[in-house]
Amino acid sequence: MLSMITDNLTTFLATWIVLTLIFALVYKWWRKPHRNFPPGPIGVPLLGVLPYFGENPEQNIRKWSEEQYGPVMSIRMGLEDVVVLNSVDAIMQAFVKQGSQFSGRPSSGAFQLLDMQDGGLSFKPYTSDYKHQKKFVLKTFRE
């Protein structure tokens, strides 16, 4: 009798844990990285929108941009969220008018595996320290 109760309790707990993990993974997949993130297609878990690209991914992205999401949209490629700029105005706004906000490097899992603590020179955050180091390196190479 006691073993039957413990078996039922063990089965219930295991089922509850599995369902909780599945719910957490689905929630993590469907949510955007932050509140102001641009809209875009979600895609398939683990693959993102990669199965929908076909032979000409740029045409599919342009079609999504024109028909549904606008000139600034996001797409999920694999496990990474990517922001896509699809108009000259959006590109000018991002890289010319707000250049200091868009001039940093994205954090990537591959570079985190390399364990570069300060980011080296190539992957350092765009700060005044970075500007001084870049200026020094360029001046040194010129000489």
Side-chain angles (χ1 to χ4, degrees):
M1 179 73 163
L2 184 61
S3 67
M4 188 172 80
I5 293 173
T6 57
D7 288 342
N8 287 340
L9 184 61
T10 305
T11 304
F12 171 75
L13 286 175
T15 305
W16 186 81
I17 290 171
V18 167
L19 289 176
T20 303
L21 286 173
I22 290 172
F23 177 76
L25 290 173
V26 168
Y27 174 75
K28 183 174 176 15
W29 177 256
W30 285 101
R31 72 177 177 85
K32 294 289 183 179
H34 58 80
R35 187 171 31 130
N36 295 329
F37 207 69
I42 301 285
V44 179
L46 300 177
L47 296 176
V49 295
L50 294 176
Y52 304 115
F53 274 171
E55 291 183 15
N56 298 314
E58 69 280 356
Q59 290 178 354
N60 287 334
I61 291 173
R62 187 179 318 121
K63 184 177 85 173
W64 291 333
S65 174
E66 290 171 354
E67 294 176 2
Q68 200 168 8
Y69 299 110
V72 179
M73 61 180 272
S74 66
I75 58 175
R76 189 162 284 167
M77 296 182 68
L79 298 175
E80 296 286 327
D81 290 309
V82 179
V83 175
V84 179
L85 305 174
N86 280 314
S87 73
V88 174
D89 293 335
I91 293 169
M92 291 292 286
Q93 179 72 26
F95 293 117
V96 176
K97 296 178 182 173
Q98 298 178 14
S100 63
Q101 294 177 351
F102 286 89
S103 59
R105 304 278 192 247
S107 63
S108 172
F111 294 111
Q112 289 174 355
L113 288 175
L114 295 175
D115 194 30
M116 292 189 298
Q117 294 164 352
D118 66 344
L121 187 61
S122 301
F123 298 99
K124 200 170 207 48
Y126 192 75
T127 60
S128 62
D129 183 40
Y130 170 80
K131 290 179 195 177
H132 292 301
Q133 286 184 1
K134 180 181 174 185
K135 187 176 180 180
F136 172 76
V137 167
L138 290 175
K139 182 180 173 185
T140 304
F141 282 153
R142 263 188 246 120
E143 294 173 359

